[in-house]
Amino acid sequence: MVEVVEYRSSWPARYMQLREAYAEALFAADVPCLSIEHVGSTSVPGLAAKPVIDIDVVVAVEHVEGATEALARIGFTPLGDLGIPGRAALVTPERFAPSNTSVMVDGSLPLRNHLAVRSVLRADPELRDEYATVKRRAAGSAVDIDDYLRRKSDVLERILERAGLSDADRAAIAATTRSIVERGAAG
């Protein structure tokens, strides 16, 4: 079962708490960080979302390992890229839950994907509301998270097209999503 709730005004403040903790860990480890981005649906005011804060810690490629190690020191468990180049996935410790945090390579497709979706949905209330409707409907009928992702794919494709991502980038994002869904179905 996938839970989608109405937008909560507390989400930006929770993001800021997490951002501060991550920034302190990176600073203590002397790891240069370009930005710490609130992404995903909770970063879009007015958008219904799974109640989980998504955060991308953005670093240059040569600092991915250092950033991952710095976050491991505060309780995260590194998982590697899990088949998504340009991203290092992490298991969130209980004190930072509910959140999903990734270390992202600056300029990588996964980061551009996240920032594009956020930008378009913040700028287009009509599309944001359409996406919220699709998410609610998908959450109400999806048998699992993979089915939920499939049910949202058409509107996400339109969002990425509106954001100006190339056909090749959108195809790569779709292929990655299919791969994740297939791995989930096999597991």
Side-chain angles (χ1 to χ4, degrees), residues 83-146:
I84 302 176
R87 177 196 79 166
L90 302 160
V91 175
T92 304
E94 188 59 38
R95 72 184 179 122
F96 295 123
S99 67
N100 291 319
T101 301
S102 297
V103 174
M104 296 287 212
V105 173
D106 186 38
S108 66
L109 183 56
L111 176 64
R112 290 186 294 121
N113 174 13
H114 290 173
L115 297 178
V117 171
R118 182 184 72 186
S119 178
V120 166
L121 293 177
R122 282 180 174 176
D124 188 335
E126 190 173 304
L127 188 53
R128 177 201 65 206
D129 293 347
E130 178 187 349
Y131 186 46
T133 299
V134 168
K135 289 167 56 99
R136 286 186 203 100
R137 195 175 307 133
S141 58
V143 296
D144 58 25
I145 190 68
D146 300 320

Side-chain angles (χ1 to χ4, degrees), residues 152-163:
K152 298 186 322 170
S153 63
D154 288 343
V155 71
L156 274 172
E157 169 68 19
R158 287 198 354 264
I159 292 167
L160 293 172
E161 185 175 11
R162 172 100 36 100

Side-chain angles (χ1 to χ4, degrees), residues 9-67:
S9 60
S10 61
W11 288 336
R14 179 61 178 150
Y15 155 71
M16 291 302 293
Q17 292 171 339
L18 297 169
R19 182 186 183 283
E20 184 175 316
Y22 302 172
E24 287 176 10
L26 294 162
F27 180 78
D30 198 28
V31 175
C33 176
L34 300 171
S35 65
I36 300 173
E37 300 287 342
H38 185 188
V39 295
S41 294
T42 62
S43 72
V44 179
L47 180 59
K50 294 189 310 291
V52 177
I53 307 295
D54 293 321
I55 298 179
D56 288 347
V57 176
V58 183
V59 298
V61 67
E62 63 269 19
H63 298 296
V64 170
E65 185 176 337

